[in-house]
Amino acid sequence: QLQLQESGPGLVKPSETLSLTCIVSGGSITSSSYYWGWIRQPPGKGLEWIGSIYYSGSTYYNPSLKSRLTISVDTSKNQFSLKLSSVTAADTAVYYCARHGANGYNWNNFDQWGQGTLVTVFS
Amino acid sequence: QTVVTQEPSFSVSPGGTVTLTCGLSSGSVSTSYYPTWYQQTPGQAPRTLIYNTDTRSSGIPDRFSGSILGNKAALTITGAQADDDSDYYCVLYMGSGITVFGGGTQLAVL
């Protein structure tokens, strides 16, 4: 059974870099059928797609975050990571990692999710 | 930037039918946007109800259905139950790997 688990600091200071890792277990991150994505949700607000990565390293980023965002993959550890630089209070959110399809018809289908981790930007 | 629009809130009586919609600030939603619908309860990760406009995800009861109605994607819940009281999000594929979530609809079953 596939499981995703986010890990990383729960507190980040303004202007610093938020770093999270998603560890994938029970399945291989190198499956050709899936991309691996990050989604966030500020407290009491809606969901926002951050970006996605394929096991080959191919990435797609939310244009509104692209200038501050790096998503990478480590196939040897079966995990992928998020780095968001120059954070502000507006980046405070629950961050989820999730798997989604690699084809158009299922690209939006985030079918497996981590439990989410709250990251607070706080000085 | 294109905004995906949803009703902020909606209510339905137990046993009733409700249709939530998902539109665009500019233009019409079609199957080419591969509309997908999620249900989220407090403290939980979202779960997929419908993807690719009208395909139910595994284990989702058939009282949830997806469609295109006019210029919007739609999620219809037939025979609403108390545990359908949740937030519902649609998400559209904009092309070039870009995905945009709607603001969500808070559905009350009362």
Side-chain angles (χ1 to χ4, degrees), chain A residues 31-59:
Chain A
S31 169
S32 61
S33 299
Y34 299 103
Y35 269 71
W36 305 88
W38 291 97
I39 300 101
R40 69 180 182 179
Q41 185 170 35
K45 296 187 178 180
L47 299 163
E48 180 181 33
W49 173 72
I50 298 171
S52 298
I53 191 164
Y54 198 54
Y55 75 91
S56 64
S58 172
T59 54

Side-chain angles (χ1 to χ4, degrees), chain A residues 41 49 60 104 107-110, chain B residues 34 36 38 40 48 93 97 99:
Chain A
Q41 185 170 35
W49 173 72
Y60 294 98
W107 182 264
N108 291 333
N109 186 13
F110 294 89
Chain B
Y34 307 110
T36 301
Y38 292 87
Q40 187 182 34
T48 309
Y93 179 63
T99 280

Side-chain angles (χ1 to χ4, degrees), chain A residues 47-81:
Chain A
L47 299 163
E48 180 181 33
W49 173 72
I50 298 171
S52 298
I53 191 164
Y54 198 54
Y55 75 91
S56 64
S58 172
T59 54
Y60 294 98
Y61 293 161
N62 184 324
S64 69
L65 299 170
K66 188 174 183 177
S67 64
R68 300 192 289 132
L69 182 62
T70 302
I71 297 176
S72 58
V73 63
D74 186 336
T75 56
S76 67
K77 295 181 179 179
N78 220 39
Q79 64 186 40
F80 61 107
S81 299

Side-chain angles (χ1 to χ4, degrees), chain B residues 5 10-11 14 24 27 30 40 45-47 50 52-53 58 70 75 82 84 90 92 98 100 104 107-108 110:
Chain B
T5 61
F10 230 115
S11 64
L24 288 169
S30 68
Q40 187 182 34
R47 69 161 179 165
I50 302 287
N52 193 25
T53 306
S58 177
L75 173 70
D84 297 335
C90 75
L92 301 179
I98 305 302
V100 179
L107 179 66
L110 42 76

Side-chain angles (χ1 to χ4, degrees), chain B residues 80-91:
Chain B
Q81 300 180 0
D83 60 4
D84 297 335
D85 193 304
S86 303
D87 294 331
Y88 293 84
Y89 292 92
C90 75
V91 57

Side-chain angles (χ1 to χ4, degrees), chain B residues 32-67:
Chain B
S32 299
Y33 287 86
Y34 307 110
T36 301
W37 292 90
Y38 292 87
Q39 179 190 52
Q40 187 182 34
T41 54
Q44 300 296 315
R47 69 161 179 165
T48 309
L49 298 174
I50 302 287
Y51 66 96
N52 193 25
T53 306
D54 58 6
T55 302
R56 262 185 303 276
S57 188
S58 177
I60 300 302
D62 60 7
R63 56 198 183 79
F64 291 93
S65 62
S67 64

